[in-house]
Amino acid sequence: MLITITGKANATPSDNPRADEIYRLFDSGEFLPEERVNKLLAEYKSTLAANDSIRQQLHIRLTCWNLPAETPEQLNAAVDYANEYLKIYSQPSPSLIQVDLQYCKAWYLHYLNKNNVLFDDLNTAIENAYLLEDPRLIADGRSIRGTILSYKGHFSAALEDLIKAQNLYDTLNTPYWANVNLGELANTYRRFGDAKTALKYQLKIEQYYRKNKQLFAATQINTDIAYSLEELGQYQQAIDRFKQSHAFWLNEKEPAAAANMSVNIGGNLIKLRRFTQAQKQLEQAEKFITSNNNGSYGYLNLYLAEVHHQLGQHKIALTYTQKAQSAFRESENTRGLNQALMLTSTIYEALAQWSDAYYSLSAYVDSHLALDKQSISDRNAEMQTRFDTNKIQSENEWLVQRDKDKEQQLQILQRNEQMQIIIIVLVAIILAIVSVFAYRQVMRKQQFKALALTDELTNLSNRRDTYTQGQRFLKTAKQSGKPFSIISFDADHFKKVNDNLGHEIGDKVLIKLASICSSMMRETDVVGRVGGEEFLILLPNIDKQQAIDIATRLIDTIANYDWCQISPNLVQTVSAGVASYSNETELSPLLLKADKALYSAKAAGRNCVKAE
């Protein structure tokens, strides 16, 4: 059961500590049994005042995410619940509850295998999250979309969404949801064929869950680790992992989930050619897995068919392949269907039923061709979206028609006043030449201006541009009375990086520092490189305490970054100084305050924030 809540709870008419405590419990990601979920939701609702509209809406959102979702009937009921409240809260638009209910609805449609009908509403919801400027809503939406895109095999688009979500979760300091998203990133790498990278992330996530005693989440990631080990051909290690998950689900009195693990164990035993043991595992699972669970039911029957075929029981094997094919068709699992069709053909061959073997093999080929065709169609759709070919085609038609109109006009002019045509053409040529020169001159000036204001290495604002914008922000703060803060930070012990690892590695460190910092700031903020390893952040409309919080998140993010990706054993931290506008008339005194704070941070042992 997915337990999530997006967006921040805004200020409410009255304090309600118990309701807020329940909300935080749900948002923490802690596993809650269904009975306790229902009790907590009922208690949450009972504590709410009639005029507490914000918490009333939070209750609706919590309920949506925590509805029963085990059967198709329950999933459809959950979709109906979301639709009912989307009608009620259709205005104003966009709103937090509207966006979150769209996410909730999309997630249930995903589990109903209705992935082709959910993306329009999901994409609109994510766009509205950006309009609301709610980073948590944006992170949740892109994480959900990335997860679904990964499931559908659109890995590049999935990675783009999941990586953006990861940066936001890290910035928001939500470790549980950051690890959930990181798990989906790992799954995407595994599906993309990079199980080794997936395993590296999964082991890190598992360590976090076990350290925080989140056993339910740890078991889920343990299962993902087993899948990665299976992809890497480490079948016995995968079996051991699946057995751990199997024991957990039995202890939790979840026999269906335990049976799913038995199916996975059986599949790996088959790969190790331990068919008798595999049969025992699969027949135990057969008691609990029904046709409603298309995914596991399909693989259960596929593996049972393989076992009976290997044991020479070919006719029994055929009955299982038919069940597997039906389940895979129902769940639109083309990969599983192809495996079932190929096995069916092999079984018919063993029975010397050559005609049936041929037809099964033909169906396998047709399925593969359909998959290839779908893949090409998906790529064409992606290209259509990216390059908007319909718009280009429409513009081309307009250009052709425009040329025809001009040609008719020229013919009329030629018949009436040929000399006038010559003059017009000459003027047009001169104007075109002048326009080309003027355009080139403007572009050249813009390019020179950009080069003059941009740091060549990091593509940040350079010292001159940063100070100019800082002076402008200072003037605005003085006139408006709004706060203005700056953060001065630089790389700790950076000289050692250049001396020991070389300037090329040093440049990569500076580029990464710039990238991390830029990804954490607002569009209205300015990040500049003002010296070798020195950076300056301009924060309009931000007071001192907010600036300290931002600087603290920045140094924590940098300290926790895996710098080994740049150079083995590399560890990099930064120190930061914060200063806020009081009554300065020039930027220089404010810079001196920030520098003084930075020196204090250095003196305090580095990798910390000080403020003046």
Side-chain angles (χ1 to χ4, degrees):
M1 179 183 295
L2 178 70
I3 303 175
T4 187
I5 185 70
T6 57
K8 297 179 179 177
N10 299 322
T12 52
S14 60
D15 291 335
N16 193 333
R18 178 54 183 161
D20 295 341
E21 181 184 359
I22 295 173
Y23 170 83
R24 286 192 294 270
L25 177 62
F26 277 105
D27 196 42
S28 71
E30 179 180 333
F31 173 68
L32 302 172
E34 185 172 340
E35 182 179 353
R36 191 177 179 207
V37 166
N38 294 333
K39 287 183 178 179
L40 286 171
L41 286 173
E43 182 184 357
Y44 185 95
K45 186 175 182 180
S46 69
T47 68
L48 302 183
N51 65 339
D52 193 348
S53 60
I54 292 176
R55 288 195 183 93
Q56 295 280 2
Q57 291 181 17
L58 283 176
H59 175 262
I60 293 168
R61 294 161 64 183
L62 280 170
T63 302
C64 186
W65 282 109
N66 292 281
L67 291 168
E70 302 296 331
T71 66
E73 293 76 17
Q74 290 175 334
L75 288 166
N76 280 309
V79 172
D80 291 340
Y81 177 92
N83 281 329
E84 176 186 353
Y85 282 98
L86 279 169
K87 290 179 182 178
I88 294 173
Y89 290 99
S90 61
Q91 295 297 328
S93 181
S95 65
L96 297 178
I97 187 171
Q98 184 186 74
V99 171
D100 199 30
L101 287 172
Q102 285 287 12
Y103 290 168
C104 184
K105 174 183 173 182
W107 194 247
Y108 290 128
L109 288 173
H110 169 56
Y111 273 95
L112 283 166
N113 291 312
K114 296 182 179 180
N115 295 307
N116 293 329
V117 301
L118 61 82
F119 277 102
D120 286 344
D121 287 342
L122 179 56
N123 292 340
T124 300
I126 293 171
E127 290 173 4
N128 286 336
Y130 275 97
L131 291 176
L132 292 167
E133 297 184 351
D134 190 308
R136 179 63 190 275
L137 274 179
I138 296 168
D140 288 341
R142 298 198 70 163
S143 182
I144 290 168
R145 185 170 66 184
T147 299
I148 298 172
L149 287 168
S150 174
Y151 176 83
K152 287 175 63 66
H154 304 317
F155 301 118
S156 60
L159 287 171
E160 182 179 349
D161 270 336
L162 292 170
I163 290 171
K164 179 62 177 178
Q166 194 68 35
N167 289 333
L168 286 169
Y169 283 132
D170 289 339
T171 302
L172 292 167
N173 193 25
T174 52
Y176 176 81
W177 297 110
N179 278 287
V180 169
N181 188 78
L182 187 59
E184 291 301 336
L185 258 176
N187 285 334
T188 302
Y189 281 119
R190 176 176 59 80
R191 292 167 181 152
F192 197 55
D194 188 1
K196 188 174 180 181
T197 298
L199 185 61
K200 182 182 74 170
Y201 286 129
Q202 289 162 346
L203 290 171
K204 179 180 177 182
I205 299 167
E206 182 188 35
Q207 185 179 17
Y208 168 84
Y209 287 144
R210 297 208 181 277
K211 179 181 177 182
N212 290 276
K213 298 185 178 357
Q214 293 176 309
L215 299 182
F216 175 78
T219 300
Q220 288 182 313
I221 202 66
N222 177 69
T223 303
D224 290 337
I225 290 171
Y227 286 129
S228 294
L229 290 169
E230 184 177 352
E231 291 284 337
L232 292 169
Q234 300 177 28
Y235 303 125
Q236 186 56 55
Q237 293 95 318
I239 290 171
D240 294 339
R241 287 279 185 171
F242 283 130
K243 284 182 176 179
Q244 291 176 22
S245 296
H246 180 270
F248 175 85
W249 291 120
L250 283 181
N251 186 61
E252 293 292 322
K253 296 181 175 52
E254 294 282 354
N260 288 338
M261 298 303 103
S262 293
V263 172
N264 293 323
I265 293 169
N268 281 272
L269 287 169
I270 289 172
K271 292 182 175 73
L272 292 172
R273 305 194 64 78
R274 290 152 58 181
F275 301 115
T276 303
Q277 295 177 43
Q279 183 178 12
K280 182 179 178 181
Q281 287 284 338
L282 295 167
E283 287 177 349
Q284 288 176 353
E286 197 173 11
K287 301 173 186 177
F288 301 99
I289 296 179
T290 67
S291 57
N292 286 333
N293 189 347
N294 290 322
S296 293
Y297 187 73
Y299 282 106
L300 169 68
N301 286 283
L302 175 66
Y303 295 152
L304 280 168
E306 179 69 34
V307 166
H308 284 290
H309 169 59
Q310 293 293 339
L311 296 177
Q313 300 163 353
H314 305 305
K315 291 186 177 179
I316 297 175
L318 280 177
T319 63
Y320 283 115
T321 59
Q322 299 306 318
K323 292 179 183 179
Q325 288 179 45
S326 298
F328 288 136
R329 286 193 176 96
E330 181 69 22
S331 62
E332 299 179 0
N333 187 336
T334 306
R335 178 185 292 183
L337 178 61
N338 288 343
Q339 290 178 268
L341 289 170
M342 178 56 76
L343 179 57
T344 303
S345 178
T346 304
I347 295 170
Y348 277 129
E349 183 181 350
L351 291 168
Q353 296 179 222
W354 308 112
S355 176
D356 291 329
Y358 169 77
Y359 285 124
S360 294
L361 187 60
S362 296
Y364 166 78
V365 172
D366 290 342
S367 179
H368 254 296
L369 290 174
L371 183 62
D372 291 342
K373 184 177 180 181
Q374 181 62 44
S375 177
I376 293 171
S377 176
D378 290 343
R379 290 182 181 276
N380 285 340
E382 184 178 358
M383 294 294 288
Q384 181 84 0
T385 301
R386 291 193 176 193
F387 295 102
D388 201 355
T389 53
N390 288 335
K391 181 180 178 181
I392 294 173
Q393 183 179 358
S394 176
E395 289 176 351
N396 286 342
E397 290 174 354
W398 177 79
L399 288 172
V400 169
Q401 184 60 46
R402 188 185 67 173
D403 289 341
K404 288 181 179 179
D405 292 341
K406 282 191 173 183
E407 184 178 353
Q408 292 177 354
Q409 292 173 4
L410 288 171
Q411 289 174 354
I412 293 171
L413 289 173
Q414 187 175 19
R415 286 195 300 267
N416 296 332
E417 299 180 15
Q418 291 186 359
M419 289 302 297
Q420 186 177 358
I421 293 173
I422 294 173
I423 296 172
I424 291 172
V425 170
L426 288 173
V427 170
I429 292 172
I430 294 170
L431 287 174
I433 293 172
V434 171
S435 298
V436 169
F437 277 111
Y439 174 76
R440 288 181 177 177
Q441 190 69 13
V442 169
M443 293 302 294
R444 190 177 291 112
K445 286 183 178 179
Q446 290 180 349
Q447 184 178 11
F448 286 152
K449 182 179 179 181
L451 289 172
L453 300 177
T454 303
D455 177 60
E456 183 178 0
L457 177 65
T458 62
N459 286 326
L460 299 176
S461 294
N462 61 15
R463 180 189 187 95
R464 174 178 164 190
D465 184 43
T466 304
Y467 286 178
T468 300
Q469 295 196 62
Q471 187 64 43
R472 189 179 78 245
F473 287 149
L474 186 69
K475 182 179 179 182
T476 301
K478 184 178 179 181
Q479 292 173 346
S480 65
K482 293 181 179 179
F484 168 53
S485 299
I486 64 174
I487 300 172
S488 177
F489 75 93
D490 69 7
D492 294 332
H493 302 298
F494 187 69
K495 186 176 185 299
K496 292 182 180 180
V497 176
N498 282 332
D499 292 345
N500 298 334
L501 302 177
H503 287 277
E504 182 179 355
I505 296 298
D507 287 348
K508 290 181 179 180
V509 169
L510 293 175
I511 292 169
K512 177 50 66 176
L513 288 174
S515 174
I516 292 173
C517 183
S518 297
S519 69
M520 296 176 64
M521 299 303 140
R522 305 167 300 171
E523 290 185 3
T524 54
D525 301 333
V526 174
V527 181
R529 181 185 177 205
V530 296
E533 66 273 21
E534 300 173 11
F535 297 84
L536 186 65
I537 307 171
L538 308 177
L539 302 169
N541 299 326
I542 293 292
D543 61 28
K544 181 184 287 187
Q545 186 55 51
Q546 290 174 314
I548 292 172
D549 293 341
I550 292 169
T552 301
R553 289 199 299 271
L554 174 64
I555 66 167
D556 288 344
T557 301
I558 290 170
N560 292 328
Y561 178 73
D562 184 7
W563 291 99
C564 293
Q565 296 180 42
I566 294 177
S567 179
N569 302 319
L570 174 62
V571 176
Q572 183 63 61
T573 60
V574 299
S575 301
V578 174
S580 293
Y581 166 74
S582 54
N583 57 359
E584 292 85 1
T585 57
E586 298 293 333
L587 185 63
S588 298
L590 195 59
L591 293 173
L592 288 174
K593 286 167 61 176
D595 286 341
K596 184 177 178 182
L598 176 59
Y599 294 144
S600 298
K602 295 286 188 182
R606 296 181 168 84
N607 193 27
C608 63
V609 178
K610 298 293 180 182
E612 278 290 326

